Amino acid sequence: MNSMYFTEEHQLFRESLREFLKKEVVPHIDKWEETGTIDRFIWKKFGEMGYFGLATAEAHDGLGLDLFYTVILLEELQRINSGGFAAAIWAHVYLAMTHLNKNANESQKSAYLVPSVHGEKIGCLGVTEPFGGSDVAGMRTTAERDGDFYIVNGSKTFITNGVYGDYIILAAKTDPKAGNKGISLFIVDRHSEGVSANKLNKLGWRASDTAELAFDNVKVPAENLMGEEGKGFTFIMEAFALERLVMGINAHARAEYALEYAMQYMSEREAFGKTIDQYQALRHRYVDLYADVEICRQYNYAVVAKLDKGEYAVKEATISKLKSTKVADEVIYNCLQFLGGYGYIEDYPMARMLRDSRLGPIGGGTSEILKEIVAKIVIDKKEYRPPNK
């Protein structure tokens, strides 16, 4: 463990978390992967252990810890080999709850953030639309003021926790003519009249519920508006840096786990009188992959340190996701090859890992979109500034 970033307290937290996941989560993973439903009891247990409150202030029942505790949570979740379960957890904490922590008022925090910390309410983030993809400013969902309510109409898609969650941090246009300055954020109760969810059938992330959401004249109380009208786009852009860094960390962690598993297998599997970890072609390929993961991991830790100090690391977080997800795909593809025919068998972890990893370069902004963002920064000299600066 890198002592530059992790203290003895961090390490004790990692050991405790790993034991918790082994005891409370791993025995249920195959069932949740098969059914596509995560039992609610585990959310309460995560809440009881404080895992949902790592980044939440103590005033709202959180622990107020530094961002490297989040790194540990993300890394250990990847080791249980269920991208879907991991996604359900981090979508709740680092998509939905991020906005509650940063942008909700005290009343909203009392009603939604505190129950989220305790695992009593599960959140999701509703930004992506069927026709919009990464074009946030082009969203079509609207929220029209009507007295003490907003009337919401439209749809969202690819929403993790959208089927079984309790609330949605929803982006909608309160002024359709104002472009990205007309977008606002709302907290919408998932079971409000007029909200419907269609569960999507995915290649991977099978344990998580991913929804297409429809909103048909949904009445949202005006007090559920986050911040002011027109601030939604700014809130979303600010949160994207953390979301993309989260996916970068996930990627290096699952690649690291894949390499560990492959090495264990290679050290035991014999061919032509010796274990296959002694064949130069495999050894050197393994070292190339190991080096790529090590570079990504160290880079990602450096970006975490920037964010933890309050820096607005849009470029660095974007590069984190762009490169780490690509490396993870390559590593896991090759680790499956190291296992030969067994890599293709569902009783071994690589088949699931390959499916789960493939979402990395897609979700949270495709690699193509991320390349254009970085190009605008390094070629066009565009500057991304934090809100109100």
Side-chain angles (χ1 to χ4, degrees):
M1 184 52 56
N2 194 320
S3 59
M4 182 188 299
Y5 302 111
F6 297 96
T7 65
E8 183 179 353
E9 287 75 16
H10 285 124
Q11 185 58 30
L12 291 172
F13 173 75
R14 186 185 293 276
E15 293 170 2
S16 173
L17 172 61
R18 185 174 293 186
E19 185 62 30
F20 170 84
L21 293 174
K22 180 180 178 181
K23 178 182 177 182
E24 302 291 350
V25 177
V26 171
H28 307 284
I29 285 296
D30 287 343
K31 172 192 170 186
W32 295 340
E33 285 280 328
E34 183 178 346
T35 63
T37 305
I38 298 168
D39 292 326
R40 290 288 295 220
F41 76 84
I42 198 62
W43 296 89
K44 291 286 187 68
K45 289 196 174 184
F46 266 73
E48 290 169 2
M49 295 296 292
Y51 297 141
F52 292 146
L54 300 178
T56 297
E58 293 181 19
H60 300 108
D61 291 359
L63 299 175
L65 298 171
D66 65 65
L67 202 51
F68 283 97
Y69 283 93
T70 287
V71 171
I72 294 168
L73 176 64
L74 296 171
E75 288 180 335
E76 293 304 314
L77 282 171
Q78 291 299 315
R79 297 182 65 85
I80 64 175
N81 196 27
S82 174
F85 179 80
I89 297 297
W90 64 255
H92 170 61
V93 184
Y94 301 111
L95 298 187
M97 286 179 62
T98 288
H99 286 284
L100 293 177
N101 277 312
K102 289 198 169 200
N103 307 316
N105 59 36
E106 284 302 315
S107 176
Q108 293 166 345
K109 287 181 178 180
S110 177
Y112 293 95
L113 178 60
V114 172
S116 294
V117 168
H118 292 291
E120 296 165 357
K121 286 188 177 181
I122 302 170
C124 62
L125 178 64
V127 175
T128 303
E129 296 191 353
F131 302 102
S134 297
D135 182 12
V136 175
M139 71 174 56
R140 302 181 185 180
T141 299
T142 60
E144 185 176 348
R145 184 68 183 255
D146 182 13
D148 293 333
F149 295 88
Y150 285 86
I151 307 302
V152 176
N153 286 282
S155 60
K156 301 291 178 181
T157 196
F158 308 136
I159 310 303
T160 302
N161 295 340
V163 179
Y164 303 119
D166 300 299
Y167 65 89
I168 309 156
I169 305 298
L170 182 73
K173 283 198 170 177
T174 45
D175 185 354
K177 297 179 181 179
N180 60 29
K181 294 182 180 179
I183 296 173
S184 303
L185 277 190
F186 299 87
I187 307 171
V188 179
D189 285 322
R190 164 65 187 81
H191 300 291
S192 300
E193 185 177 353
V195 179
S196 58
N198 173 43
K199 190 174 185 179
L200 299 174
N201 187 13
K202 309 184 298 293
L203 171 68
W205 282 21
R206 302 292 295 181
S208 68
D209 58 295
T210 304
E212 186 171 64
L213 299 173
F215 303 88
D216 182 11
N217 291 318
V218 179
K219 294 179 68 174
V220 179
E223 60 262 30
N224 281 26
L225 171 69
M226 301 186 78
E228 304 170 11
E229 281 194 13
K231 294 290 187 181
F233 186 79
T234 302
F235 292 158
I236 293 165
M237 291 300 105
E238 182 183 22
F240 267 159
L242 179 60
E243 178 182 355
R244 287 165 181 163
L245 179 57
V246 163
M247 295 194 74
I249 294 165
N250 288 338
H252 84 234
R254 66 175 169 269
E256 199 168 41
Y257 175 70
L259 285 169
E260 288 179 15
Y261 187 89
M263 178 49 59
Q264 181 65 33
Y265 176 87
M266 292 164 69
S267 69
E268 298 171 352
R269 177 78 162 94
E270 290 191 6
F272 306 104
K274 59 182 179 180
T275 56
I276 64 174
D277 62 352
Q278 297 304 306
Y279 287 96
Q280 186 181 77
L282 300 184
R283 290 163 64 87
H284 288 189
R285 184 61 187 139
Y286 185 95
V287 168
D288 279 339
L289 299 170
Y290 180 93
D292 288 342
V293 173
E294 181 70 9
I295 289 169
C296 287
R297 185 165 64 89
Q298 293 297 334
Y299 179 84
N300 291 343
Y301 287 170
V303 181
V304 172
K306 280 179 172 287
L307 284 186
D308 202 38
K309 290 188 291 187
E311 297 184 29
Y312 199 57
V314 173
K315 179 184 71 174
E316 293 86 348
T318 304
I319 292 172
S320 166
K321 180 185 182 299
L322 176 66
K323 301 305 289 186
S324 296
T325 56
K326 180 181 179 181
V327 165
D329 268 9
E330 182 181 5
V331 167
I332 292 166
Y333 181 93
N334 279 275
C335 284
L336 190 151
Q337 186 74 17
F338 289 151
L339 268 64
Y342 290 108
Y344 206 65
I345 301 300
E346 290 289 349
D347 292 338
Y348 289 73
M350 289 303 168
R352 180 191 297 169
M353 205 178 299
L354 185 73
R355 290 195 303 273
D356 286 353
S357 184
R358 190 59 190 85
L359 188 60
I362 299 173
T366 65
S367 293
E368 291 74 17
I369 292 292
L370 300 189
K371 287 178 183 179
E372 184 57 25
I373 291 171
V374 177
K376 287 179 179 178
I377 296 172
V378 302
I379 298 174
D380 301 336
K381 309 303 179 185
K382 179 174 181 178
E383 291 186 29
Y384 287 87
R385 294 187 178 91
N388 304 319
K389 291 186 180 179

